[in-house]
Amino acid sequence: MAPAFAPLVASLAVAAAVLAAVADAACRHTNLTAGFAADLTMLQHQLRGTVRLDPSGACALQLTRFDLLAASPSARFWAADGPSLDDLAKGRPFSPLPLNATFRNETLRLPFSAPLPPLLAIFDPDTSSDLGHVFLSAASNSSNATAALASRVATPTMFDNCVQLSEGYRLRWTLNASAGEVDIGLEAVVGSEYYMAFGWADPKANSPAMVRSDVVVAGFTEEGMPFAEDYYITDYSECTMGKDDLPVSGVCPDSAYDDGRNDSRLVYGHRRDGVSFVRYKRKLDSEDDKYDVLVGATEEMAVVWAIGKLRPPDTLRPHYLPQNHGGPRDETFGLMRLNLSEAVDSCLGPLDADNKQDQDRIIADGKTPLVVTSAPAVRYPNPPNPDKVIYINKKEAPLLKVERGVPVKFSVQAGHDVALYVTSDPIGGNATLRNKTEVIYAGGPDVHGVPATPTELVWLPDRNTPDLVYYQSVYEAKMGWKVQVVDGGLSDMYNNSVLLDDQQVTLFWTLSTDSISIAARGEKKSGYLAVAFGNGMLNSYAYVGWVGNDGVGRVKTYWIDGKSAAGIHSTSENLTYVRCKSEDGVITFEFTRPLKPSCTGKVECKNIIDPTTPLKVVWAMGASWSGDDLTDSNMHSVTSSRPIRVLLLRGSAEAEQDLRPVLAVHGFMMFVAWGILLPGGILAARYLKSLKGDGWYQIHVYLQYSGISIMFLGVLFAAAELRGFYVDSMHVKFGLSALLLAAFQPLNAYFRPKRPANGEVPPRNRVLWEYLHVITGRSAIVVGVVALFTGMKHLGQRYDSENVEELTWALMLWVLSAIVIALSLEYKEVKRRGGDRSFRGHWVLGNTEEDDSVDLLHPDSSARSSESRPSGVMEVQLEPLTR
C-alpha cells in the first residue's frame, strides 16, 4: 500500500513502522525483504558472491565479495525462470555489464526496472554455459523456492573468513561458537590425486610441530567423490596401519587407532577449473582427548597444514593415505598461529589454475574403436545438461584428443535416441533448429545403435579441421563435449596399437628385423605406469615409467617374482630411445629393445620376444615410484584384471581366456586316472593273485582301461579348450610321456608271447615281455605322478592361484599314503611267499597261481576254459639270456 495514504498517528512507534514501510516500498518491482541475502552457487569459473537488495532501497541488487575468473565476451548476468537448459535458453540479459575480465572480491550494483526473475544466473548464451546462479526465493513460486534452498545447501562455498596458506592453498572458515563447532573449507590448485591437510598442533608441545597434531585430510577418491577424515600424526612417515603385528604409526586416520573415530563431518566438495574444494565441520571439543585437540573459540593456537599426493587404498591399507608432502616450507607445508574468532579476509580474488581441464581425457588412435554409450550425468563439465549424457570408453563426456591424418573409429551403441555427430557447434542438438549455422564433420541422424547392433562411424580429421570441434547428439543438446585436433602423435609413429584390459592403457609397437619399439600410454592420471610381459605381475618382466621429483622422466626394467617390494628385482635390459613424460598426470613412455637379448646367465636374458607367438601383456598404475629403494608404498592402486594376448605380427589383441575351470576339470580327471585307477590296477595285478579264479585279472584290466580312457578324455578336454596342443612346458612334456607309456601297455599286452605249459622253461621272448610290461607300467605311473605335480606348478604360475600350494601338499600326502600302502602289501606278500618252500632261492615274476590264458580284450570268454585246467604250481625262473 502507498505510505502517503496511511493514517496519521501520534505514536512514535507507529511513525517508525511507517518509515520502514516507506523504505521497503521504495522499489515496487520486488517483494524481497530488506534483509534478503543469498549466495551464488559455483558451477564454473570459480564464481563466488552474495546477492542482496541495494541497502538504499532503490531497484538494484548488490553483489558483495564477488569473484569470477574471466568469462567469454558473450557472458552476462541473466534472468531466467529456472536453472534448466530450456529455462536459460528462454531467458534474457539482466545487466549489460560484461564479464570477460577477472573480478576479485568486488562489490557490484545491478539496477533493474522490471520485476525480479525467479533466477539470476551468470550465463554464456553462445555455449549455453551456466557459470553459477542464485534463486531469488521471495520472487519465485514454491517449487523454485524449494530448489533455491536445495541449491544453497548443495554448494556452500561462502565463508566469513579466509587466509592464504601458500600461493595456491587457502583456508576458509565460519565459526559457530554457540553451537561449539566450526565450518572449514580447504581450497587448493592441485590435481585430483593430491590431498589437502589442516589441523591443530599439540598445545602441550614446547614448540609447534606436525607430530602429535590433530589434522583433517581432505581430497577426492579415484571416482571423483570428496572425503574428509580425521588423522592423528605420531611420526613423519606414511601410516603403517599396524601391519606385521607392529603398532599403528605415522600419519594415520583416527579410526586406525584403538578407540579412535572420525570426528570430522564432510559437508560438500567439488573440483572446478583445476581447483579442489572440500568443506567439512568439526566440533571445537570432540570429547576425544586422546587423538583430538580441544580448540578454543577465542584462543590463538598453533595450526599445521600440508598438501601432497594421496596413495589410494589397496588390499593392505583400506584408506586413502597422504604421502610425504616434500617441497620447501610455506609451499607444501607450514605452521602458523590462528584465532578463529578474529575476522580476516586476505584472499584476493579466485584461485586461477594453469590447467583448468578436470575432465577425463581420451586419446584416439586409428586402430581401436571408441565405444560410445550413454548414462546418467554425474560430473558433466558444462552445466546445465540433460540427465543422460554421452560416455566414451566408460568415461563421462571426456575430452577427446585426435590427430590429423589418423582415422577415428566410433562404435556407437548409446541407444537409438542418441545419434552421434561431430560438429563445430558447442551445444549440438541440431543447431539449425536454433537458427544457428554449424559445420558437420562426421556422423548424423543415422549414426545410432545399441550394444547388440552397434553402428560404426569413421572420421578422418584433415588439415582443414579446426583445432576445436565437438562430439554431440543430433537429437538433444549438450550431451557431448570437446574434441581437440592436433598434428601427429604416437599413432603416426608406430605401426600398431591396441587397448589393454579395461581400456585404461594403450600399447603401441613397431617391429623391425631384430628389435621392437614399444610405447605405453595411460588413459587416466597416475604417478607411474607399468606394463609387464607375462600371465600376471607375478613372474613377469616389467617396464615402469614415471617422472621424478626433479621433473625428469625415467623408464626402468624389473623381474617380479613376489607380491611385495622384496619380490621386485631391478634388471639391466638393453633399452634405447627411452622417453617418458607426464601430461596432465597421464604417463606415456617409449623404448626400443632387441627381440632376443644378447646376454647369458641373467634373468633378463630369458626375456625373449617371439613375434610369431602371442605376447601376454598386463599393466598397473600407482601413486608413486622410487626407482631403486622400493617399499610397499610403491604398490599399484589399479591393475589389469587379466592378460591381453597381443598378436605382434597381425597388429591385434585378444583377451586371455580364464581357463581355471577347464584346467580344474582336466586336473581332476588326471588325478582319478593316475592317482587312483592306474595305480589300483597295478596293485591288483601284484597283490590280488591269491584270490580264487581270475578276479584279480578282471580288476586289473577294468581299472587300467578305465584309467586310460579317463586320461585320454582329460587330454582331449584340455586340448579343445586351449585350441591346440602345445608341447612348450615341462608339464606337457611329462604328460605326453606318461600318455605314450600308458597307451603302449594295451598294445604290449595284446601281442604278448604265449605262456609256457606247466613245468616248461619260459622262452626268452616271454621273459623279455614280462620285464617290458612291468617296467613300462611302473614307469608310466612314476611319470604320470610327476606330471600331476608339474601340472599343479604350471597352474600356480599361470594364474597365481592362492590354493595351489595347499592342493600340492594334499597331492603329496596322497602319494605318500599310496606308497605306504604298497610297501605294506609288499611286506605281507613277501611273508606269504616265504612260507612256501617252492619260492626259496628263486626270484619269480608274478604268482605261481597266475593263469595267463585269459584274453586281455575278452577275459570272460577265456575264463571259462581256464576253469577246466588243473591248477599246478609254476615257477618263472630268471635265467641268463645267453647260454
Side-chain angles (χ1 to χ4, degrees):
M1 76 179 68
F5 297 98
L8 297 177
V9 293
S11 169
L12 183 59
V14 174
V18 171
L19 291 175
V22 171
D24 286 344
C27 178
R28 59 189 178 84
H29 295 304
T30 179
N31 60 354
L32 296 179
T33 61
F36 171 81
D39 296 333
L40 286 162
T41 62
M42 180 193 294
L43 297 180
Q44 299 182 64
H45 287 253
Q46 293 299 296
L47 173 67
R48 273 192 175 91
T50 301
V51 178
R52 294 182 172 86
L53 280 178
D54 192 294
S56 68
C59 290
L61 294 177
Q62 183 186 64
L63 268 69
T64 59
R65 302 174 66 192
F66 181 63
D67 284 352
L68 180 71
L69 292 175
S72 73
S74 60
R76 291 291 186 272
F77 286 100
W78 201 260
D81 290 336
S84 69
L85 180 59
D86 186 56
D87 287 335
L88 289 169
K90 294 176 181 178
R92 57 180 174 82
F94 183 84
S95 170
L97 179 68
L99 299 173
N100 58 340
T102 297
F103 293 82
R104 297 179 175 86
N105 261 22
E106 299 191 26
T107 299
L108 303 179
R109 188 174 182 272
L110 305 177
F112 57 91
S113 58
L116 285 175
L119 182 93
L120 177 67
I122 289 83
F123 183 68
D124 184 349
D126 286 354
T127 60
S128 293
S129 298
D130 183 6
L131 310 188
H133 54 257
V134 60
F135 285 95
L136 304 178
S137 308
S140 62
N141 56 37
S142 59
S143 63
N144 279 342
T146 302
L149 178 60
S151 174
R152 292 169 65 181
V153 171
T155 56
T157 59
M158 296 296 292
F159 294 82
D160 294 342
N161 309 278
C162 182
V163 295
Q164 194 90 19
L165 300 177
S166 67
E167 183 179 357
Y169 187 18
R170 290 175 175 176
L171 167 69
R172 300 177 183 269
W173 78 92
T174 296
L175 176 65
N176 188 349
S178 61
E181 61 183 18
V182 59
D183 276 68
I184 294 176
L186 302 180
E187 182 180 43
V189 180
V190 292
S192 59
E193 70 274 21
Y194 281 73
Y195 67 86
M196 303 172 290
F198 172 79
W200 276 262
D202 182 9
K204 300 177 183 178
N206 295 330
S207 60
M210 289 283 186
V211 174
R212 293 192 297 278
S213 60
D214 167 26
V215 301
V216 168
V217 174
F220 293 85
T221 67
E222 292 183 299
E223 293 76 28
M225 302 304 295
F227 70 90
E229 189 164 3
D230 210 359
Y231 277 65
Y232 183 69
I233 302 175
T234 59
D235 192 13
Y236 293 108
S237 64
E238 187 177 307
C239 183
T240 62
M241 297 299 295
K243 292 193 313 174
D244 303 324
D245 298 326
L246 297 175
V248 178
S249 176
V251 184
C252 300
D254 284 14
S255 57
Y257 297 98
D258 293 337
D259 302 324
R261 65 179 185 272
N262 182 19
D263 290 312
S264 63
R265 180 166 64 87
L266 176 69
V267 176
Y268 173 76
H270 69 220
R271 278 193 58 81
R272 303 273 193 270
D273 315 303
V275 177
S276 292
F277 172 80
V278 176
R279 180 170 184 154
Y280 64 93
K281 289 180 181 287
R282 70 151 287 169
K283 293 182 178 179
L284 301 179
D285 182 6
S286 66
E287 299 180 354
D288 181 1
D289 56 1
K290 191 173 182 180
Y291 304 114
D292 288 346
V293 171
L294 174 64
V295 179
T298 60
E299 182 182 353
E300 184 178 86
M301 303 181 67
V303 296
V304 298
W305 60 268
I307 53 176
K309 284 191 175 182
L310 275 171
R311 196 168 74 82
D314 53 38
T315 55
L316 300 178
R317 302 174 178 87
H319 297 271
Y320 282 86
L321 298 179
Q323 296 184 303
N324 191 296
H325 44 70
R329 180 169 176 169
D330 297 330
E331 288 188 15
T332 59
F333 74 100
L335 299 94
M336 60 179 290
R337 309 287 298 183
L338 182 68
N339 188 337
L340 293 178
S341 61
E342 290 184 359
V344 58
D345 190 359
S346 60
C347 303
L348 180 61
L351 289 174
D352 190 0
D354 293 332
N355 178 19
K356 299 178 176 60
Q357 180 57 250
D358 279 321
Q359 206 66 7
D360 288 328
R361 183 182 67 167
I362 290 180
I363 302 175
D365 62 76
K367 300 292 184 181
T368 307
L370 302 173
V371 180
V372 179
T373 57
S374 60
V378 180
R379 293 182 298 277
Y380 186 76
N382 184 27
N385 52 270
D387 294 335
K388 184 173 70 172
V389 298
I390 290 175
Y391 282 64
I392 297 180
N393 289 355
K394 303 179 182 180
K395 297 180 179 180
E396 179 184 4
L399 174 67
L400 182 59
K401 188 175 181 180
V402 302
E403 299 167 358
R404 292 182 176 90
V406 179
V408 181
K409 297 180 181 179
F410 298 92
S411 176
V412 183
Q413 40 190 278
H416 296 303
D417 58 340
V418 180
L420 183 73
Y421 77 128
V422 181
T423 172
S424 62
D425 185 68
I427 301 174
N430 195 346
T432 56
L433 299 178
R434 306 190 309 273
N435 298 319
K436 298 283 187 178
T437 60
E438 67 177 335
V439 178
I440 297 177
Y441 299 95
D446 298 329
V447 185
H448 56 82
V450 294
T453 56
T455 297
E456 184 178 272
L457 170 65
V458 180
W459 169 43
L460 181 63
D462 56 29
R463 60 190 301 269
N464 297 318
T465 306
D467 291 341
L468 182 63
V469 293
Y470 303 85
Y471 62 91
Q472 296 286 1
S473 170
V474 173
Y475 301 128
E476 188 166 5
K478 299 187 73 173
M479 290 190 69
W481 191 225
K482 298 177 180 179
V483 182
Q484 284 184 351
V485 185
V486 298
D487 293 326
L490 292 176
S491 298
D492 296 331
M493 297 166 57
Y494 293 87
N495 296 339
N496 308 279
S497 66
V498 295
L499 269 174
L500 300 183
D501 188 46
D502 294 332
Q503 301 178 342
Q504 298 296 325
V505 175
T506 305
L507 184 73
F508 303 83
W509 73 94
T510 296
L511 281 168
S512 60
T513 305
D514 55 0
S515 66
I516 180 171
S517 297
I518 295 176
R521 181 183 65 211
E523 303 295 341
K524 62 182 293 186
K525 296 179 180 180
S526 64
Y528 71 85
L529 170 64
V531 295
F533 302 154
N535 291 310
M537 280 297 173
L538 194 63
N539 296 320
S540 68
Y541 297 95
Y543 302 84
V544 183
W546 78 101
V547 176
N549 295 330
D550 54 2
V552 177
R554 296 175 174 85
V555 178
K556 291 200 67 173
T557 61
Y558 299 89
W559 162 251
I560 302 177
D561 61 4
K563 297 182 178 180
S564 64
I568 304 175
H569 311 285
S570 179
T571 59
S572 301
E573 291 195 30
N574 182 24
L575 302 186
T576 56
Y577 303 104
V578 177
R579 292 192 296 176
C580 180
K581 62 181 179 179
S582 175
E583 292 181 335
D584 301 329
V586 174
I587 301 291
T588 302
F589 66 83
E590 306 171 65
F591 62 88
T592 299
R593 54 149 291 175
L595 294 174
K596 185 176 181 180
S598 56
C599 65
T600 57
K602 299 180 181 179
V603 65
E604 59 265 30
C605 302
K606 299 179 181 180
N607 186 13
I608 299 173
I609 295 179
D610 182 2
T612 63
T613 302
L615 181 66
K616 297 177 183 178
V617 184
V618 295
W619 60 265
M621 298 182 191
S624 68
W625 196 261
S626 54
D628 296 324
D629 300 324
L630 300 176
T631 66
D632 287 344
S633 64
N634 300 119
M635 284 182 62
H636 53 71
S637 57
V638 60
T639 184
S640 53
S641 56
R642 58 181 176 176
I644 290 293
R645 290 160 49 94
V646 178
L647 309 177
L648 297 174
L649 292 178
R650 291 171 51 185
S652 62
E654 60 185 23
E656 174 79 356
Q657 185 181 3
D658 187 356
L659 296 174
R660 276 175 288 188
V662 174
L663 298 181
V665 174
H666 167 78
F668 178 74
M669 295 174 76
M670 290 304 180
F671 171 74
V672 171
W674 292 106
I676 299 176
L677 297 177
L678 294 175
I682 291 179
L683 293 178
R686 176 67 176 167
Y687 303 114
L688 296 183
K689 292 180 180 179
S690 59
L691 297 178
K692 184 178 180 181
D694 62 347
W696 68 270
Y697 187 73
Q698 294 191 34
I699 293 174
H700 171 73
V701 171
Y702 289 144
L703 288 179
Q704 299 303 90
Y705 281 154
S706 299
I708 292 174
S709 299
I710 292 176
M711 176 192 64
F712 273 104
L713 287 176
V715 171
L716 294 175
F717 185 75
E721 291 297 329
L722 290 172
R723 301 178 183 177
F725 196 80
Y726 307 99
V727 189
D728 58 351
S729 70
M730 190 63 64
H731 169 64
V732 177
K733 292 175 182 177
F734 274 106
L736 182 61
S737 301
L739 185 149
L740 294 175
L741 289 172
F744 178 72
Q745 286 297 80
L747 295 175
N748 178 315
Y750 183 78
F751 293 106
R752 71 189 185 281
K754 185 177 180 181
R755 173 180 175 273
N758 291 340
E760 292 184 2
V761 176
R764 179 181 303 175
N765 60 350
R766 173 73 185 192
V767 174
L768 292 176
W769 174 86
E770 290 185 357
Y771 272 112
L772 179 65
H773 189 67
V774 172
I775 294 174
T776 303
R778 295 178 183 179
S779 299
I781 292 296
V782 173
V783 176
V785 171
V786 174
L788 290 178
F789 283 102
T790 56
M792 298 298 293
K793 182 179 179 180
H794 180 69
L795 181 65
Q797 292 175 346
R798 183 178 183 121
Y799 291 107
D800 191 22
S801 301
E802 296 180 355
N803 60 342
V804 167
E805 185 176 354
E806 289 81 355
L807 291 175
T808 302
W809 281 106
L811 181 60
M812 291 178 62
L813 184 62
W814 177 268
V815 172
L816 290 175
S817 300
I819 292 174
V820 170
I821 292 174
L823 291 176
S824 175
L825 292 174
E826 183 68 19
Y827 175 74
K828 292 180 179 180
E829 182 70 10
V830 170
K831 286 187 65 178
R832 186 181 69 82
R833 291 177 180 177
D836 191 339
R837 292 184 179 181
S838 62
F839 287 98
R840 291 178 184 174
H842 301 280
W843 176 30
V844 297
L845 194 63
N847 190 292
T848 54
E849 299 176 0
E850 174 185 355
D851 189 346
D852 194 33
S853 63
V854 183
D855 187 352
L856 285 173
L857 300 180
H858 303 88
D860 291 337
S861 60
S862 56
R864 288 187 296 270
S865 61
S866 65
E867 292 177 358
S868 60
R869 296 185 182 182
S871 75
V873 177
M874 187 274 292
E875 290 184 352
V876 179
Q877 183 175 357
L878 297 182
E879 301 289 345
L881 298 180
T882 58
R883 304 192 175 210

